[in-house]
Amino acid sequence: GQNIDQPTEMTATEGAIVQINCTYQTSGFNGLFWYQQHAGEAPTFLSYNVLDGLEEKGRFSSFLSRSKGYSYLLLKELQMKDSASYLCAVVDSNYQLIWGAGTKLIIKP
Amino acid sequence: GAVVSQHPSWVICKSGTSVKIECRSLDFQATTMFWYRQFPKQSLMLMATSNEGSKATYEQGVEKDKFLINHASLTLSTLTVTSAHPEDSSFYICSARGERGAPYEQYFGPGTRLTVT
């Protein structure tokens, strides 16, 4: 079967750094997405990794290791508005997105 | 660019009635559209995938006669929840995939909150 694991919930302090991990076991791999979803809203695109390594985009960075079936999303200089759920999704061999359950990130002042 | 709209944003209907939700790609052609359902504090659950001009492919456990999907053009897909019941109350989100953005990237609509009384 296909499986994507992320922590259910994480808490961090405003201004700090947090790393959200995602491990996956899927039938094939054609890339990995990170999306942000605020409560009651639709997901918005954060990053896409298809090759190993780190992709940096402002305060957010995403890392991929295909051999380990592992990715992480790194958020720096946390702001209160970063409180949201972060969804990891893998593109499988059928080019469908397989979604993780999401990680709820709580930012405290 | 790559904007997807959904209408209505929220709807309340009585049990036994049908509800239609529209999903439109406003500035690109969506070769594939997806319909998701999301219950509170849960992740997205893919209901069906539709390609323009062909029948939708439903995920296991999703009743195709209850959730009718039509993808009549490259910019419009509709989901009709027929004979709705309270357990159908949920947040329904559509997404579209075209030639923009990262490979296989999906652009999401704002979602429709359905409440069946």
Side-chain angles (χ1 to χ4, degrees):
Chain A
Q2 311 211 82
N3 194 47
I4 298 186
D5 287 319
Q6 317 178 222
T8 304
E9 187 174 297
M10 299 182 71
T11 302
T13 304
E14 189 177 16
I17 299 173
V18 71
Q19 178 175 311
I20 303 174
N21 295 324
C22 171
T23 57
Y24 62 88
Q25 294 171 312
T26 57
S27 58
F29 178 85
N30 285 296
L32 184 146
F33 286 94
W34 283 96
Y35 280 84
Q36 180 191 60
Q37 185 179 26
H38 285 100
E41 298 180 13
T44 55
F45 170 84
L46 287 178
S47 67
Y48 173 73
N49 294 66
V50 66
L51 299 176
D52 291 349
L54 186 68
E55 297 271 349
E56 296 184 80
K57 190 185 296 183
R59 293 190 298 115
F60 293 7
S61 302
S62 57
F63 171 84
L64 175 68
S65 169
R66 289 172 295 172
S67 62
K68 295 182 180 179
Y70 167 70
S71 173
Y72 68 73
L73 180 69
L74 190 71
L75 292 76
K76 302 177 184 176
E77 301 170 18
L78 286 170
Q79 302 174 10
M80 297 303 292
K81 67 178 182 179
D82 297 329
S83 292
S85 287
Y86 291 85
L87 307 176
C88 172
V90 171
V91 184
D92 71 3
S93 57
N94 293 318
Y95 305 106
Q96 300 287 7
L97 284 183
I98 309 301
W99 294 88
T103 298
K104 182 178 180 181
L105 178 62
I106 300 169
I107 309 297
K108 294 185 175 180
Chain B
V3 178
V4 176
S5 70
Q6 248 180 275
H7 178 80
S9 54
W10 60 270
V11 58
I12 301 173
C13 71
K14 292 187 177 181
S15 187
T17 62
S18 295
V19 173
K20 179 186 282 189
I21 303 170
E22 290 187 352
C23 177
R24 293 180 184 271
S25 57
L26 298 184
D27 55 356
F28 69 102
Q29 293 186 325
T31 51
T32 307
M33 285 187 167
F34 304 86
W35 287 96
Y36 292 88
R37 181 165 55 183
Q38 187 175 36
F39 292 106
K41 299 183 180 181
Q42 296 186 22
S43 189
L44 299 171
M45 188 193 82
L46 179 65
M47 299 175 67
T49 301
S50 73
N51 294 296
E52 184 264 339
S54 61
K55 290 184 178 181
T57 302
Y58 289 81
E59 295 299 302
Q60 194 171 10
V62 178
E63 300 174 60
K64 61 182 180 181
D65 294 331
K66 180 171 181 63
F67 299 99
L68 302 179
I69 292 172
N70 184 281
H71 192 164
S73 75
L74 284 171
T75 59
L76 173 65
S77 177
T78 61
L79 167 68
T80 302
V81 182
T82 62
S83 186
H85 291 286
E87 57 264 32
D88 297 324
S89 298
S90 187
F91 190 47
Y92 291 86
I93 309 174
C94 75
S95 70
R97 190 171 73 194
E99 295 181 353
R100 291 193 181 187
Y104 321 114
E105 182 178 352
Q106 296 181 21
Y107 298 95
F108 287 86
T112 297
R113 188 160 302 283
L114 170 64
T115 302
V116 184
T117 61

